[in-house]
Amino acid sequence: MTTYTPPTRDMQFVLHDVLQVAKSDIPGYEELEPDFTAAVLEEAGKLAAEVLHPLNKVGDEEGCRLENGVVRTPTGFKAAYDQLREGGWNGLDCDPEYGGQGMPHLLGTAVGEMFVSANMAFNMYQGLTHGAVNALHAHGSEEQKATYLPKMIDGIWTGTMNLTEPQCGTDLGLIRTRAEPAEDGTYRITGQKIWISSGEHDLSENIIHLVLAKAPGGGPGTKGISLFIVPKFLVNPDGSLGERNAVTCGGLEEKMGIHGNATCVMNYDGATGYLVGELHQGLRYMFTMMNEARLGVGLQGYAQGVVAYQNALAFARERLQGRAVTGPANPEGPADPIIVHPDVRRMLMHQKSFVEGARALAFWGASLIDASRRKGDQEAEEMISLLIPVIKGFLTDKGFETTVLAQQTLGGSGYTKEWGLEQFVRDCRITMIYEGTNGIQALDLVGRKLGRNGGRAVLEFFEMVKRFIKENEGNEALKEGFLDPLKAASKDLQAAGMHFMQAGMKNPSDALAGAYDFMHLFGHVCLGLMWARMARAAMEGLEAEGADRAFLQAKITTGRYYMARQLPATKAHLARILAGGETVMELPAEAF
Amino acid sequence: MTTYTPPTRDMQFVLHDVLQVAKSDIPGYEELEPDFTAAVLEEAGKLAAEVLHPLNKVGDEEGCRLENGVVRTPTGFKAAYDQLREGGWNGLDCDPEYGGQGMPHLLGTAVGEMFVSANMAFNMYQGLTHGAVNALHAHGSEEQKATYLPKMIDGIWTGTMNLTEPQCGTDLGLIRTRAEPAEDGTYRITGQKIWISSGEHDLSENIIHLVLAKAPGGGPGTKGISLFIVPKFLVNPDGSLGERNAVTCGGLEEKMGIHGNATCVMNYDGATGYLVGELHQGLRYMFTMMNEARLGVGLQGYAQGVVAYQNALAFARERLQGRAVTGPANPEGPADPIIVHPDVRRMLMHQKSFVEGARALAFWGASLIDASRRKGDQEAEEMISLLIPVIKGFLTDKGFETTVLAQQTLGGSGYTKEWGLEQFVRDCRITMIYEGTNGIQALDLVGRKLGRNGGRAVLEFFEMVKRFIKENEGNEALKEGFLDPLKAASKDLQAAGMHFMQAGMKNPSDALAGAYDFMHLFGHVCLGLMWARMARAAMEGLEAEGADRAFLQAKITTGRYYMARQLPATKAHLARILAGGETVMELPAEAF
């Protein structure tokens, strides 16, 4: 049986020592005093550890069941959902005008990490609702917002996003679901959507589906795509539930993991739909939802790593096997705890240095979103837009790797269901796939984001790294362990970018064949920068009276591990990119 | 639903064009003419594809059931087992004196790859028997061999190996199972063993357990460990089955994968056991079994990669999504097959270049075993002993990575049970853990194998690489794409070895902290050498009249991919090793 310990102390360190949120000029951040965030995180952590985490295994084992069109969620999910809903957690960072608590997205991210670590499948019911709320908030009419947002933010209704169809995943131009205008201004939606997370369930009174469909007159490919609200139950003018709409769950997908979440085939048989925004602008609107969803998936990736690491660590401290090479560490016992062995430590340090670095990156990303939304900071908006594919792709690939390493730390026990580590691996695996596979993230990064506005955002990123190095160049304690490796890694990233500019002109396949490595290279430089910042903050913290020396020293040591032992991956990524795309593209498809 | 296509052509290429087996002076290899091996491989491939593979999903879904002490294997397993047994496949490379077919281990390896690709869980019933046969063949008395080997080689009886106990996995010194001598010269075995693959099942008439237990007088730790034969049914002097022995299956482990194989808790309650060889020499004997088992696990790792890759490739050729960046490849269709996209090709080339290189390494390893056993070649014995941890550790880590990449190639479909890719991931995952975790393999490599006989084997390995480069240095076609990167990678490996020699003297933790990276570095150099050899063979083959040009050219292109895009990983591994063990060991256990 696994356990979950809310990493409140680590979160507070990122919020206050590294990001120094309470000193920020982002509106709303003035509330984020250490005592306040500690109180929120402790309350959320308690729910995560005591209410959500015990249901993680239950959800995996029971899964969801479809009975006469109704999906039954696992035992305990409904009660837990109600408890969170009643506590106001669903609307933590939503608009107060519609009943939200108006907290910064950053705080929602910290709380979200805990909920996801504790029970990823459970949290998806609320998580997708949050994305749907954002899309409606940004693009819905006043009437639509008034009708749907308060109940979705409250959580008494939930939301979904409906993109995928059997013949169409990444390539949305192939969508076949049709929207026919009716005389009353509504639309009749007809088609089949698949892999709809939380598409049908028994947690909420109504489910508000946001559906991409082709309306007449938009032209071929993605051009005709529009976005529609299709509620499970139509809503009467007074807000009460009306008749059942013609949307039904046609089946549940059997999956590798996240069994606690219902992944549905949704059939729309002339269902009543309401156009969101303008006709034929659906794809653009959906991206509002998708961008936040991608950040949320990056968070899932490392959050599963967090809980997997915690359990691996607990095992490594308790399991007695063999003796330390430097002499018995537990001479009274039959053997030493395996944490004494260098290779076990390698695994633990790898996990620890990744998840703590990833948290800093995710929190920084959330603060950029707040700066963009709350302050209208254009530079922050461009930076987070650049970073989204990196956060999604890198944090999920590495998050998965972390769960696999955590499982490995337990040896044979890690492979058994009893110990629970294998569930983290299975659950985390989806994060590399959904909301755009990580290959798609890499293409988004290299094909779209990198060159946008003449490469302004990536140049600013390099400047940021340079500034940090320059600001701290007199800091001897930081130099060898942090600044030098960061500089080297950043140079690798620049060399890769330069190669794309030159080679990509001649041959677009070349840049695209290296895109995945570039995404990883970028991710490593981001985490290198995060660790350099954390190390500086920890060093400054150590100078204060009454400092938590063990905690801060551990941050520095963990950071030094990352810089020395994870960051060198940039060398291999760069070498692959410089090798070009020829060997990737040369083989004729029939010769594979 | 997955399919499996026996890679007969690729196997023939390794056997005849690369290893040139029929020209070898290893006794028995003279039989391995191309027509003969083709016939054997085709027959085995047919069984694998048509009999075993269709049961792969059945095994996963049904799993094994324990009912009143009897384990029921999945539907169809018994019939398939009988079919293979009757075909004589179990004893293909076993001693003819005991009913085996006396074929080289190399041929058994090729056939084994097919059976494992087709159905790994199924093949474990036979695979463990094979290991037990080897241990008895090497260390059993003439009477024991006469009693057990013919039936085990026939397959009408199966075998197991019993090492692990709840408190003792890697650290066998902690074994508690006791062996008390009885007056009749037998022993009474008492204790509990866990994670016993194929410990109880309904495929064979008898199960011959090889059990490690402590007999009186051996001293503490591993010293008192002896090896015992504990048959499920005692065997009468005439060879018929006698009374039921006091060994029972106490439960089945629920696992992440390989559900078709019964992983048992075995309880020994004063069971009758027969000492194998001398008292207190059990650990040494068990290693005979373990060495072959480790090679077999390395084979499992890449063999799962083979079948996963095949299914990813089929999907990539059929799934239509998006358009090639260089212009439509399928202008008549709604979209292009995804194999046109550079990042999909990156994934496919990665898989293909690994599995084909891995096969060459595994086959070469098997030929070293044959040279050692059949020719008494001491150098071959030392080389394979050095390579075993590399083959086990590297091929399973990378085999798992390959299954994950194959799954990723399918996008969302890869996560569903329907498409079957996720089973390969779950099944393959165990290979990184059992028969000694990959961390243990790395320690075995660096701590034991590297320095043995003054490092003779590793020096010979380096010489072999140098010789190959020197022999071919005039070959311009080979130079840039193969010899130069091989030389660079080999230098990285030598630099790492040198670092261990120097740093390891001062601080053993330093070398141990880098052991895992060293194992991977070594694995990459091995596959680099294999690809250089395969490329040379393909280039030579291209000069022959009537050459299969597309096949041979594909080998060269695939090899160039490996050298350009996988081999650069050595740079990152070397950097980590040179970074030393300080950041790995520095953090106090309580500060994690």
Side-chain angles (χ1 to χ4, degrees), chain A residues 197-464:
Chain A
S197 298
S198 317
E200 174 60 42
H201 56 81
D202 55 6
L203 301 182
S204 62
E205 294 178 3
N206 201 2
I207 302 176
I208 311 305
H209 304 289
L210 294 188
V211 183
L212 287 188
K214 282 197 178 174
T222 56
K223 295 205 187 81
I225 296 176
S226 306
L227 181 63
F228 298 89
I229 298 169
V230 185
K232 176 178 169 183
F233 290 100
L234 298 180
V235 181
N236 296 322
D238 67 354
S240 65
L241 295 187
E243 63 178 305
R244 185 73 165 80
N245 205 349
V247 47
T248 52
C249 174
L252 291 178
E253 209 71 56
E254 290 197 60
K255 317 179 294 288
M256 184 184 199
I258 50 167
H259 295 149
N261 192 271
T263 307
C264 302
V265 175
M266 298 304 296
N267 294 322
Y268 294 86
D269 300 308
T272 299
Y274 308 97
L275 180 68
V276 176
E278 290 174 39
L279 210 56
H280 309 320
Q281 296 297 317
L283 214 56
R284 192 162 64 80
Y285 301 155
M286 195 53 103
F287 267 101
T288 307
M289 198 160 160
M290 192 99 92
N291 268 341
E292 178 176 312
R294 287 179 173 176
L295 281 177
V297 174
L299 183 141
Q300 288 180 328
Y302 87 81
Q304 286 293 292
V306 169
V307 64
Y309 162 66
Q310 289 183 355
N311 285 277
L313 174 62
F315 184 91
R317 280 178 168 149
E318 281 170 24
R319 174 74 170 170
L320 304 180
Q321 258 346 237
R323 289 295 184 188
V325 66
T326 47
N330 174 34
E332 306 299 310
D336 290 343
I338 62 171
I339 197 171
V340 303
H341 302 308
D343 193 65
V344 172
R345 279 175 159 273
R346 172 189 65 81
M347 293 192 278
L348 293 172
M349 289 301 294
H350 207 85
Q351 296 164 56
K352 179 175 169 66
S353 65
F354 167 70
V355 296
E356 294 179 10
R359 175 180 297 121
L361 178 60
F363 283 20
W364 177 46
S367 77
L368 290 173
I369 287 190
D370 284 327
S372 156
R373 286 197 199 147
R374 291 171 173 254
K375 227 178 70 176
D377 182 336
Q378 177 68 17
E379 200 174 274
E381 160 64 29
E382 288 180 12
M383 185 63 69
I384 188 61
S385 175
L386 173 72
L387 291 177
I388 277 176
V390 178
I391 291 176
K392 196 283 186 180
F394 184 71
L395 296 195
T396 60
D397 274 359
K398 290 285 169 184
F400 176 70
E401 181 187 294
T402 301
T403 61
V404 171
L405 262 181
Q407 180 186 29
Q408 190 72 15
T409 311
L410 273 75
S413 300
Y415 198 67
T416 64
K417 290 204 174 282
E418 185 185 350
W419 283 85
L421 272 287
E422 60 91 40
Q423 186 190 342
F424 301 134
V425 175
R426 288 184 292 103
D427 286 356
C428 193
R429 182 67 184 87
I430 189 60
T431 65
M432 296 154 71
I433 296 175
Y434 64 14
E435 306 304 341
T437 63
N438 286 357
I440 292 295
Q441 304 303 321
L443 298 193
D444 180 45
L445 175 65
V446 170
R448 296 175 62 230
K449 301 294 178 64
L450 211 52
R452 193 176 274 180
N453 300 320
R456 197 161 63 198
V458 73
L459 292 175
E460 170 53 25
F461 179 83
F462 288 131
E463 275 309 310
M464 190 187 299

Side-chain angles (χ1 to χ4, degrees), chain B residues 58-337:
Chain B
V58 176
D60 186 58
E61 287 179 349
E62 285 189 18
C64 296
R65 280 165 304 133
L66 177 63
E67 292 169 354
N68 304 320
V70 179
V71 171
R72 305 280 170 215
T73 54
T75 307
F77 270 41
K78 172 72 173 143
Y81 183 83
D82 288 344
Q83 190 176 344
L84 262 71
R85 194 178 71 67
E86 285 157 17
W89 292 101
N90 285 6
L92 188 71
D93 59 355
C94 295
D95 190 346
E97 196 183 330
Y98 299 102
Q101 305 212 25
M103 289 290 131
H105 184 59
L106 176 56
L107 198 61
T109 298
V111 169
E113 184 203 299
M114 291 181 174
F115 290 171
V116 171
S117 287
N119 195 327
M120 178 170 147
F122 176 90
N123 200 60
M124 288 171 67
Y125 293 101
Q126 178 274 321
L128 285 153
T129 306
H130 200 274
V133 163
N134 275 1
L136 282 180
H137 193 273
H139 307 293
S141 68
E142 288 309 316
E143 192 196 332
Q144 287 169 341
K145 291 201 261 189
T147 305
Y148 299 104
L149 290 187
K151 296 204 167 153
M152 292 173 78
I153 286 172
D154 171 86
I156 201 155
W157 295 355
T158 55
T160 71
M161 50 198 289
N162 288 239
L163 287 76
T164 306
E165 301 179 7
Q167 79 293 349
C168 125
T170 298
D171 187 352
L172 292 171
L174 302 176
I175 278 182
R176 287 189 197 141
T177 298
R178 298 183 324 274
E180 294 294 334
E183 287 187 2
D184 61 358
T186 66
Y187 288 78
R188 295 288 159 272
I189 312 292
T190 305
Q192 187 178 68
K193 296 286 181 178
I194 62 169
W195 302 341
I196 307 308
S197 298
S198 318
E200 175 60 42
H201 57 81
D202 54 7
L203 301 182
S204 63
E205 294 178 1
N206 201 2
I207 301 175
I208 311 305
H209 303 289
L210 294 189
V211 182
L212 288 188
K214 283 199 178 172
T222 58
K223 294 205 187 83
I225 296 175
S226 307
L227 180 64
F228 298 90
I229 297 169
V230 184
K232 175 177 169 185
F233 290 100
L234 299 179
V235 181
N236 296 322
D238 67 355
S240 65
L241 295 187
E243 64 178 303
R244 185 72 165 79
N245 205 351
V247 47
T248 51
C249 174
L252 291 179
E253 209 71 55
E254 289 196 62
K255 317 179 293 288
M256 183 183 198
I258 50 167
H259 295 149
N261 193 270
T263 307
C264 304
V265 175
M266 298 304 295
N267 294 322
Y268 295 86
D269 299 309
T272 299
Y274 308 98
L275 180 68
V276 176
E278 289 174 40
L279 211 56
H280 309 319
Q281 296 296 315
L283 215 55
R284 193 160 64 80
Y285 302 157
M286 196 52 104
F287 267 101
T288 306
M289 199 161 160
M290 192 100 91
N291 268 340
E292 179 176 311
R294 287 179 173 177
L295 281 177
V297 175
L299 185 141
Q300 289 179 328
Y302 87 81
Q304 286 292 293
V306 169
V307 65
Y309 162 66
Q310 289 183 355
N311 286 278
L313 175 61
F315 183 91
R317 281 179 167 147
E318 281 170 23
R319 173 75 169 170
L320 305 180
Q321 257 347 236
R323 290 294 184 189
V325 66
T326 48
N330 174 34
E332 306 299 308
D336 290 343

Side-chain angles (χ1 to χ4, degrees), chain A residues 126-141:
Chain A
Q126 179 274 319
L128 284 153
T129 306
H130 200 273
V133 163
N134 275 1
L136 282 181
H137 193 273
H139 307 294
S141 66

Side-chain angles (χ1 to χ4, degrees), chain A residues 165-171 174 195 253-259 309 313 317 319-322 325-326 334-335 339-340 342-343 345-346 348-349 352 400 404 407-408 411-413 415-418 422 425-427 429-430 432-433 437-439 443 508-509 512-514 516-517 554 557-558 560-561 564-566 568-569 571-572 575-577 579-592, chain B residues 165-171 174 195 253-259 309 313 317 319-322 325-326 334-335 339-340 342-343 345-346 348-349 352 400 404 407-408 411-413 415-418 422 425-427 429-430 432-433 437-439 443 508-509 512-514 516-517 554 557-558 560-561 564-566 568-569 571-572 575-577 579-592:
Chain A
E165 301 180 8
Q167 78 293 347
C168 127
T170 297
D171 186 353
L174 302 176
W195 300 341
E253 209 71 56
E254 290 197 60
K255 317 179 294 288
M256 184 184 199
I258 50 167
H259 295 149
Y309 162 66
L313 174 62
R317 280 178 168 149
R319 174 74 170 170
L320 304 180
Q321 258 346 237
V325 66
T326 47
I339 197 171
V340 303
D343 193 65
R345 279 175 159 273
R346 172 189 65 81
L348 293 172
M349 289 301 294
K352 179 175 169 66
F400 176 70
V404 171
Q407 180 186 29
Q408 190 72 15
S413 300
Y415 198 67
T416 64
K417 290 204 174 282
E418 185 185 350
E422 60 91 40
V425 175
R426 288 184 292 103
D427 286 356
R429 182 67 184 87
I430 189 60
M432 296 154 71
I433 296 175
T437 63
N438 286 357
L443 298 193
S509 298
L512 297 179
Y516 202 84
D517 281 290
T557 305
T558 308
R560 287 181 59 234
Y561 178 93
R565 294 198 147 240
Q566 299 235 49
K571 293 177 202 290
R576 278 191 211 119
I577 290 166
E582 193 197 332
T583 59
V584 179
M585 301 308 294
E586 194 178 341
L587 204 60
E590 62 279 9
F592 270 79
Chain B
E165 301 179 7
Q167 79 293 349
C168 125
T170 298
D171 187 352
L174 302 176
W195 302 341
E253 209 71 55
E254 289 196 62
K255 317 179 293 288
M256 183 183 198
I258 50 167
H259 295 149
Y309 162 66
L313 175 61
R317 281 179 167 147
R319 173 75 169 170
L320 305 180
Q321 257 347 236
V325 66
T326 48
I339 197 171
V340 303
D343 194 65
R345 277 176 160 273
R346 172 191 64 81
L348 292 172
M349 290 301 295
K352 179 175 169 64
F400 176 71
V404 171
Q407 182 185 29
Q408 189 73 15
S413 300
Y415 198 67
T416 64
K417 290 205 173 283
E418 184 186 350
E422 60 90 40
V425 175
R426 287 185 291 103
D427 285 356
R429 182 67 184 88
I430 188 60
M432 296 154 72
I433 297 174
T437 63
N438 287 357
L443 298 192
S509 298
L512 297 179
Y516 202 85
D517 281 290
T557 306
T558 308
R560 286 179 60 233
Y561 177 93
R565 293 197 149 242
Q566 298 234 48
K571 292 177 201 292
R576 278 192 210 118
I577 290 166
E582 193 197 333
T583 59
V584 179
M585 302 307 295
E586 195 178 342
L587 204 61
E590 63 278 10
F592 271 80

